[in-house]
Amino acid sequence: MKFDTIIIGGGLAGLTAGISLQQAGIHTAIISSGQNALHFFSGIFESSETCRERLIRLFSTAGIRVQDIPGYHLMPMGTFREAGLSLEDVASFPEKKIAERALIVNFMGFHDFFSSFLAEGLEKEGTACRIRFIRLPEMEHLRQSPSEMRSVNIARVLDECWEKAVADIRVLHKDEDLIILPQVFGLKDASVPEKIASALPAHVVFVGTMPPSVPGIRTQMKLKRRFEVLGGTFLMGDEVTSAALHEGVVSSVTTRNLDSVRLFADHFILASGGYFSKGLVATPNRIVEPLFGLDVFQASDRNQWYRTDFFQDQPYMDFGVRTDTSLHALKDGVPMKNLYAIGSVLGNTRKDDFGTAAGLAVSTAFAVADAIKESQKEQLP
Amino acid sequence: MKLQEYTASAHNFEECMKCTICTAYCPVVPVNPRYPGPKQAGPDAERLRLKDPYFFNQALKYCLNCKRCEVVCPSGVKVADIIQSARIRYDHTPPKLRDRILANTDFMGKLARPFAPIVNGVTGMNLTKTVLDATLAIDRHRTFPKYSGQSFEGWLKRHAKEQAKYERQVAYFHGCYVNYNNPQLGKDLVKVMNAIGIGVQLLEKEKCCGVALISNGMSKQATKNAEHNIAALRKAVDKGLTVLATSSTCTFTMRDEYPELLKVDNSAVRDSLLLATRYIYQLLASGKATLDFRPDYHARIAYHTPCHLEKLGWGIFSYELLKMIPGVEFTLLDSSCCGIAGTYGFKKENYEASQAIGKPLFDQIRSVNPDVVACDCETCKWQIEMSTGYPVKHPISILAEAIR
């Protein structure tokens, strides 16, 4: 089976690259071994100034609204962070005193939304807070097992009955100028948060919960759909088992599901993620990239991998696949001719060039998609 | 020292890091509050069940075994296998009469075939449906698939000589559905294979793959069928034959459920057992065979990927094959469960959940408004036809119509 480009990994980096390529008519397949870190996405793209307009455009074609309003984001633990490019779901405020009085509403038994931390953080900045809980009969079955009171389960219930939650919140609301709710609305339908906001008699904002991230999952579904509508092939739940390499060129890969059917392509993009997604694997003494055996930047002494103070920056998070400046992956010190690496598999090593996390994913995805588009053009007579 | 290999947990359950992604994609969770969800029913409760079987929960029967949890798991945990294995190991409730009737597709087919016109007439009657609903709890909305008066096996035996004339041969695992309900699909496969110069033969003797036996708590009988089928496949494979199947679920069951759930070793035949669309796609794509398509063929086709085909990862072969037909306007439907899950949707207690699960798919089909829905699974076909009114055809049947 032959494609123009094969992308290994179906997360934010893989999908962004896939959509860009497919938009340019480059036939692309994405191989994705299970779901990805978008399911844990805070909704904030760090340091992606270089591709702001492009990102907003690409996401809007997929039906995802991205905003860039200066000020501060309110974080799940009641802290503030300087605002930047983010999903529309993430609230931003011009100053840290976000209201005179805020009503924080949570669902009874939902422990992944930290209303007390939020109140403490907000009160420090001058916003008086009142915390109230609601319970809906539709949610009672979740409460039988405490481990099932999770954001996505709640969101799936609320997709069907969010209006009932709104009615309860109206009863609780007194004179507050702001209502704060957890991000558990609109998993299927992104317009629900907006509808809730217009149905309540105060300004309404939604604040992040512990993973899984409802806006993140919605983003994943919409990007995948967009990629498929453009004609891309998404192989879900499959994984690369071997690769044919010769003189710095990858010619084909095999997968677990398609076994003897080799997948050929002119270009390959490694977007396989970090440790969680097994794009990087830590063995007792070495960190390896398991699919191609690429060079991985790392401290050779295992004791230098981590700091004992858990809250400090951890060096192992910086480790990742080495590339040249145009993101060709290095193997034995030599750049591969048609294999690029993007996103978290690079580690945080490229902070200065490409930023971190989601910002790294999209900016490297755009850079590589452009390089591939260029080289396809050159091949044409 | 192979510490990691030696300490690997059954179905990888210790790899679970409680991320809940499986539950986020489970089709049952939003429609059935009694189902605890794949994470809870699978790896979470497995830890308790290993301590004491007392913790086994009958609510595990609400799992469709659609495997969507496994397809999305980022950690390679075989969530549905954990749940189904627990049902096999701990659930000793004898299956109800209704479940025995629904699960024994092979036996029921044999029984009904000689009286097909009468049986079809009777099962189609509203009175019968009301009685079955009241006495056996088979939902009144369902209609049993029609039985054919002539079995596919009988038909192919009569044509064995013509088929033997082809130099190249494949064996065909037709399954209960083609044999008793829809022999035409088997005949369509023979037509397409003959058109590319390949003869089709039966296995020495096949039995039901057993998928419905597994899901209805009859794993011992399923294991006997599995052992029998593997021996039958072995004989064909030893003769150098590839074995094709048209049912995605039969294929999936024999390739993956036999070793994972029934502990029946299929390693000698697994790689030789393929879905027909995969085999034909590969021949056409590599230029080793060509088909003579009708120039006047035209159809707007929407393809639905059945859950077990999604798990196999082979949907791509079926829809790429359809796209090769000139005159086809193609839409790939979003991957989403139709809700029937074999015998699950026939049970009265599951009817509402079954229809609610399928709703997003039915809505999308109506909005696409195709001439025909294509799908490799017979039970998806019944469900989609009943719930949307659109005709559903197997890709092989569509191919057979589109060639001269």
Side-chain angles (χ1 to χ4, degrees):
Chain A
M1 209 170 263
K2 167 80 172 68
F3 298 91
D4 296 331
T5 300
I6 289 175
I7 300 173
I8 301 159
L12 182 58
L15 280 165
T16 305
I19 292 171
S20 307
L21 290 168
Q22 205 59 59
Q23 272 172 342
I26 294 172
H27 191 202
T28 304
I30 294 179
I31 304 166
S32 176
S33 65
Q35 293 290 10
N36 49 72
L38 261 176
H39 291 63
F40 307 87
F41 185 31
S42 68
I44 302 170
F45 301 89
E46 292 168 78
S47 31
S48 42
E49 289 77 10
T50 49
C51 54
R52 180 195 283 126
E53 297 308 318
R54 240 179 125 172
L55 176 70
I56 294 173
R57 252 199 332 271
L58 183 136
F59 273 59
S60 82
T61 60
I64 306 159
R65 282 189 286 189
V66 175
Q67 63 185 11
D68 194 3
I69 303 168
Y72 300 94
H73 289 312
L74 174 57
M75 305 305 286
M77 303 293 279
T79 54
F80 287 91
R81 183 150 138 185
E82 202 174 318
L85 204 58
S86 72
L87 294 181
E88 196 189 41
D89 301 81
V90 184
S92 51
F93 305 92
E95 51 180 309
K96 291 184 184 175
K97 182 178 176 180
I98 62 173
E100 288 301 325
R101 283 177 301 279
L103 171 66
I104 304 174
V105 182
N106 191 11
F107 295 93
M108 192 76 80
F110 179 40
H111 301 304
D112 288 347
F113 179 62
F114 302 120
S115 35
S116 310
F117 282 101
L118 273 173
E120 193 185 317
L122 293 177
E123 287 184 343
K124 226 182 266 171
E125 305 293 343
T127 301
C129 294
R130 193 161 66 91
I131 301 172
R132 285 295 177 269
F133 294 90
I134 57 175
R135 53 198 294 178
L136 296 176
E138 288 80 358
M139 229 173 262
E140 286 304 294
H141 68 274
L142 292 178
R143 290 159 44 82
Q144 287 167 12
S145 156
S147 65
E148 294 308 301
M149 278 299 275
R150 304 288 296 271
S151 59
V152 182
N153 287 354
I154 293 173
R156 293 184 84 171
V157 172
L158 288 170
D159 267 342
E160 307 304 324
C161 65
W162 59 269
E163 278 130 326
K164 288 192 182 169
V166 169
D168 285 4
I169 298 165
R170 285 184 76 96
V171 173
L172 291 174
H173 178 253
K174 284 183 187 161
D175 56 351
E176 288 88 357
D177 45 344
L178 180 72
I179 298 173
I180 298 177
L181 302 175
Q183 274 174 1
V184 289
F185 297 92
L187 180 63
K188 273 196 293 201
D189 179 359
S191 70
V192 168
E194 210 172 311
K195 288 179 190 155
I196 292 172
S198 59
L200 288 171
H203 183 48
V204 180
V205 297
F206 299 88
V207 174
T209 67
M210 288 294 104
S213 153
V214 171
I217 295 182
R218 192 202 305 132
T219 302
Q220 151 76 31
M221 290 177 181
K222 291 198 173 224
L223 290 176
K224 173 175 179 273
R225 180 114 211 269
R226 174 72 183 148
F227 174 70
E228 288 184 322
V229 165
L230 287 167
T233 299
F234 198 99
L235 299 173
M236 186 69 211
D238 202 356
E239 57 187 323
V240 171
T241 43
S242 75
L245 284 104
H246 185 64
E247 291 181 354
V249 175
V250 185
S251 55
S252 66
V253 293
T254 58
T255 73
R256 190 190 59 224
N257 285 342
L258 303 183
D259 49 78
S260 61
V261 180
R262 298 197 82 87
L263 301 178
F264 295 86
D266 301 329
H267 300 276
F268 290 82
I269 302 176
L270 185 67
S272 50
Y275 302 99
F276 170 71
S277 309
K278 302 191 177 73
L280 296 172
V281 174
T283 65
N285 296 305
R286 239 164 59 82
I287 289 162
V288 295
E289 185 288 302
L291 297 182
F292 299 95
L294 300 171
D295 298 351
V296 176
F297 161 80
Q298 59 191 289
S300 53
D301 176 6
R302 190 194 151 87
N303 292 320
Q304 305 298 313
W305 287 6
Y306 51 86
R307 297 197 177 93
T308 45
D309 179 352
F310 184 79
F311 291 99
Q312 277 191 304
D313 280 346
Q314 294 294 336
Y316 68 84
M317 293 303 289
D318 290 343
F319 303 161
V321 164
R322 284 182 194 274
T323 67
D324 66 7
T325 51
S326 52
L327 297 167
H328 290 96
L330 300 193
K331 187 170 165 67
D332 306 322
V334 183
M336 299 286 295
K337 292 190 180 101
N338 66 343
L339 173 65
Y340 301 85
I342 62 174
S344 299
V345 76
L346 296 171
N348 283 347
T349 55
R350 315 297 292 271
K351 239 179 238 164
D352 302 334
D353 304 334
F354 296 105
T356 61
L360 174 81
V362 291
S363 51
T364 52
F366 281 131
V368 165
D370 287 348
I372 291 174
K373 281 186 247 173
E374 256 334 286
S375 79
Q376 297 277 107
K377 257 187 235 160
E378 280 164 22
Q379 280 174 11
L380 294 173
Chain B
M1 198 169 59
K2 292 184 174 174
L3 200 58
Q4 284 180 329
E5 281 86 339
Y6 293 153
T7 55
S9 54
H11 310 299
N12 255 352
F13 92 88
E14 287 188 341
E15 296 291 311
C16 174
M17 46 164 286
K18 316 299 171 202
C19 71
T20 323
I21 286 176
C22 53
T23 304
Y25 289 89
C26 172
V28 183
V29 166
V31 300
N32 187 351
R34 280 163 299 193
Y35 182 55
K39 177 178 75 76
Q40 173 73 13
D44 283 10
E46 184 69 7
R47 210 163 280 284
L48 301 174
R49 290 190 290 259
L50 285 174
K51 281 195 186 301
D52 189 338
Y54 165 81
F55 291 102
F56 175 76
N57 181 348
Q58 283 294 340
L60 265 57
K61 71 176 179 213
Y62 296 118
C63 166
L64 296 173
N65 198 25
C66 69
K67 309 281 181 189
R68 287 186 182 269
C69 46
E70 295 182 11
V71 173
V72 297
C73 176
S75 308
V77 180
K78 301 205 164 159
V79 189
D81 287 351
I82 297 172
I83 296 170
Q84 295 306 322
S85 297
R87 290 188 62 206
I88 290 172
R89 188 182 303 170
Y90 301 113
D91 188 2
H92 302 299
T93 345
K96 293 180 193 164
L97 174 63
R98 177 210 46 196
D99 297 355
R100 288 185 186 278
I101 290 173
L102 289 175
N104 278 287
T105 48
D106 207 352
F107 180 70
M108 294 307 286
K110 273 199 194 87
L111 212 60
R113 194 183 56 76
F115 317 104
I118 304 167
V119 174
N120 293 341
V122 172
T123 54
M125 279 159 55
N126 280 338
L127 177 68
T128 317
K129 291 185 188 178
T130 310
V131 171
L132 286 177
D133 189 296
T135 54
L136 289 176
I138 294 172
D139 195 275
R140 69 180 73 218
H141 297 87
R142 302 284 174 197
T143 305
F144 275 98
K146 299 254 178 287
Y147 287 103
S148 163
Q150 186 193 45
S151 75
F152 175 76
E153 232 167 57
W155 180 85
L156 192 56
K157 273 181 190 158
R158 279 199 297 284
H159 293 80
K161 271 190 190 155
E162 303 155 35
Q163 292 303 314
K165 286 180 192 155
Y166 290 91
E167 194 188 326
R168 289 164 66 201
Q169 293 279 318
V170 291
Y172 177 37
F173 183 94
H174 48 70
C176 307
Y177 170 68
V178 164
N179 203 28
Y180 301 116
N181 306 112
N182 189 5
Q184 187 54 44
L185 171 54
K187 294 176 193 172
D188 290 340
L189 177 73
V190 172
K191 178 182 174 186
V192 175
M193 295 310 290
N194 289 173
I196 49 182
I198 298 175
V200 179
Q201 52 179 271
L202 294 166
L203 290 171
E204 201 169 285
K205 175 83 191 114
E206 67 170 67
K207 283 192 175 177
C208 167
C209 72
V211 66
L213 296 168
I214 300 172
S215 60
N216 284 288
M218 288 165 251
S219 56
K220 273 197 192 131
Q221 200 185 332
T223 308
K224 277 189 198 147
N225 282 18
E227 281 161 354
H228 173 96
N229 283 336
I230 294 304
L233 287 165
R234 185 78 194 248
K235 281 184 190 158
V237 172
D238 285 347
K239 280 190 272 178
L241 293 173
T242 299
V243 184
L244 302 187
T246 40
S247 163
S248 46
T249 287
C250 297
T251 310
F252 168 71
T253 303
M254 292 190 287
R255 282 178 60 101
D256 291 348
E257 302 282 74
Y258 282 5
E260 289 289 344
L261 298 184
L262 302 178
K263 307 291 169 207
V264 172
D265 178 14
N266 66 355
S267 52
V269 300
R270 189 173 184 273
D271 290 346
S272 306
L273 173 63
L274 298 176
L275 202 61
T277 50
R278 170 175 168 159
Y279 187 79
I280 298 166
Y281 168 82
Q282 278 185 271
L283 285 178
L284 296 183
S286 61
K288 286 181 190 152
T290 50
L291 281 173
D292 185 13
F293 289 107
R294 274 168 41 196
D296 59 339
Y297 186 81
H298 178 79
R300 287 180 305 115
I301 297 176
Y303 182 78
H304 163 65
T305 313
C307 298
H308 289 162
L309 191 51
E310 179 86 3
K311 170 67 178 150
L312 277 174
W314 292 359
I316 186 170
F317 298 119
S318 292
Y319 62 74
E320 289 297 331
L321 193 57
L322 289 170
K323 286 194 212 167
M324 285 178 180
I325 304 173
V328 165
E329 278 177 60
F330 182 81
T331 308
L332 179 62
L333 296 166
D334 289 346
S335 179
S336 150
C337 178
C338 77
I340 185 91
T343 59
Y344 185 95
F346 277 86
K347 300 174 185 173
K348 192 175 178 175
E349 68 272 24
N350 295 335
Y351 178 77
E352 273 177 39
S354 172
Q355 295 312 104
I357 290 169
K359 191 174 176 298
L361 175 68
F362 308 149
D363 290 346
Q364 198 193 6
I365 291 172
R366 285 189 199 101
S367 78
V368 171
N369 188 28
D371 298 331
V372 58
V373 176
C375 171
D376 294 76
C377 169
E378 51 272 17
T379 61
C380 297
K381 171 184 158 78
W382 304 333
Q383 169 77 336
I384 296 169
E385 287 184 339
M386 185 198 84
S387 310
T388 67
Y390 284 86
V392 181
K393 288 183 186 167
H394 194 284
I396 295 294
S397 294
I398 293 175
L399 210 57
E401 275 173 29
I403 59 174
R404 276 199 260 234

